[in-house]
Amino acid sequence: MSILCGLPILECVYCLGCARWLWQKCLYTAGHESENWGLATAEEFEPVPRLCRLILSVYEDDLRYPLWAPPGGYGINPDWVIVKRTYEETGGCATPYMIYLDHDNVDIVLAIRGLNLAKESDYAVLLDNKLGQTKFDGGYVHNGLLKAAKWIFDTECELLRDLVEMNPDYRLTFAGHSLGAGIVSLIAMYAVQNRDKLGTIERKRIRCFAMAPARCVSLNLAVRYADVINSVVLQDDFLPRTTTALEDVYKSIFCLPCLLCLMCLKDTCTLEEKKLKDPRRLYAPGRLYHIVERKPFR
């Protein structure tokens, strides 16, 4: 038809679709995506910077002699670290993590690091999922992240129960970044469903802070656990927004233009209402905090 009419119609449609997609993904979202949301209070957001530093400390081999400490340090006491697991200890079932007894903030914290680009086991966890593969509590969750969450919970359940019983006034907090954020979100959900294994802990004492989490729960679960899970998204962070199956991204890494073409056409031609009606579609978990650092061109 393009040749008959003398106009490159298909090419124009594709270019317009790509332009719209780029505008939404790269320019529109940061300034407008959360413009009608309420502002977070200083009190509810207070744990986030502290927990970010705690998550960063999991990357260190020796907390007494840190190599990558941020300005001001990690703000933790190495003597309060209960356990710190490495890749060798997790056997590739999960990323390294740490359990920290924070006496200053009356908190029992399980912190998990993010994706290690050099570890195949991390990719195996992230890519172990298909649409609608795994059901949980009336919704759908990411299969690989749920398996990692169950492994950590089952491994540390007795230790966490002892800490909860010895510190009845402390909260139980799960914190993680990127891949680890998805894992801790599902640990928190699994812990809420299995509170009897953690002693006498109420739901209100369990909380989770997921920094830049992967999409790991269906919309109904994201809403149902909003009182427990808090997701933090910075600006236009890619991972919490990507709607394309992650395994397709990595399989198509050597044909990225083809992948982008399909993403543009799919996002342009699929109605938002249709996306929301799909109960298998995964979203960032819980209550969302969107940090808008700046708007485009300002």
Side-chain angles (χ1 to χ4, degrees):
M1 181 176 289
S2 299
I3 298 175
L4 292 176
C5 298
L7 292 172
I9 297 177
L10 293 178
E11 290 82 352
C12 289
V13 170
Y14 172 64
C15 290
L16 288 173
C18 287
R20 176 182 177 275
W21 183 82
L22 286 171
W23 174 69
Q24 285 188 321
K25 298 295 181 182
C26 301
L27 297 178
Y28 176 81
T29 51
H32 300 278
E33 202 171 45
S34 57
E35 61 182 353
N36 295 321
W37 297 10
L39 294 176
T41 64
E43 182 180 6
E44 63 183 296
F45 200 75
E46 178 273 331
V48 174
R50 170 168 51 85
L51 291 174
C52 283
R53 289 175 179 262
L54 187 56
I55 295 168
L56 284 174
S57 70
V58 182
Y59 291 73
E60 295 282 0
D61 293 326
D62 189 344
L63 290 174
R64 297 187 184 278
Y65 303 99
L67 300 177
W68 305 290
Y74 293 113
I76 65 173
N77 185 341
D79 294 330
W80 294 349
V81 175
I82 306 301
V83 67
K84 192 172 184 293
R85 305 291 187 195
T86 63
Y87 277 108
E88 288 72 22
E89 293 174 287
T90 64
C93 295
T95 52
Y97 60 90
M98 176 175 72
I99 296 178
Y100 180 70
L101 190 57
D102 190 346
H103 294 292
D104 290 337
N105 296 284
V106 195
D107 220 350
I108 303 166
V109 185
L110 191 156
I112 306 181
R113 62 158 289 166
L115 176 72
N116 186 337
L117 297 176
K119 286 289 182 180
E120 291 184 8
S121 59
D122 283 8
Y123 290 106
V125 171
L126 190 61
L127 304 183
D128 181 13
N129 187 63
K130 293 181 180 179
L131 186 64
Q133 179 178 355
T134 305
K135 289 187 176 182
F136 180 87
D137 194 20
Y140 293 88
V141 297
H142 188 288
N143 183 64
L145 297 181
L146 180 62
K147 289 196 292 187
K150 285 183 176 180
W151 186 90
I152 294 177
F153 184 85
D154 292 339
T155 301
E156 308 297 348
C157 181
E158 292 186 8
L159 175 58
L160 291 175
R161 183 180 65 240
D162 291 342
L163 292 174
V164 168
E165 291 177 347
M166 288 188 297
N167 303 277
D169 297 328
Y170 284 38
R171 302 188 73 163
L172 179 58
T173 300
F174 301 99
H177 169 249
S178 184
L179 176 63
I183 295 175
V184 293
S185 298
L186 295 180
I187 292 178
M189 293 168 59
Y190 194 68
V192 168
Q193 291 292 310
N194 296 273
R195 295 201 309 277
D196 56 311
K197 295 183 179 181
L198 295 173
T200 56
I201 187 170
E202 305 86 2
R203 178 181 175 122
K204 64 181 180 180
R205 286 175 57 200
I206 300 175
R207 63 178 181 174
C208 171
F209 286 88
M211 318 301 176
R215 291 188 173 212
C216 58
V217 300
S218 55
L219 186 58
N220 63 329
L221 294 179
V223 174
R224 192 183 307 164
Y225 286 90
D227 63 318
V228 176
I229 304 173
N230 304 277
S231 291
V232 181
V233 179
L234 174 63
Q235 198 77 0
D236 285 323
D237 200 357
F238 169 77
L239 195 58
R241 288 183 172 82
T242 179
T243 54
T244 303
L246 287 170
E247 60 267 26
D248 293 337
V249 173
Y250 288 101
K251 287 177 183 177
S252 306
I253 198 68
F254 296 109
C255 189
L256 196 55
C258 301
L259 176 65
L260 291 176
C261 175
L262 293 174
M263 289 172 63
C264 292
L265 294 177
K266 183 179 178 181
D267 281 1
T268 301
C269 300
T270 305
L271 296 176
E272 196 67 29
E273 292 78 7
K274 184 178 180 180
K275 296 178 184 178
L276 292 173
K277 288 180 180 178
D278 187 351
R280 304 168 301 169
R281 184 179 170 88
L282 301 183
Y283 295 83
R287 185 177 187 180
L288 285 175
Y289 292 92
H290 187 201
I291 301 175
V292 182
E293 197 172 28
R294 62 176 175 78
K295 292 185 178 182
F297 309 119
R298 297 186 184 177

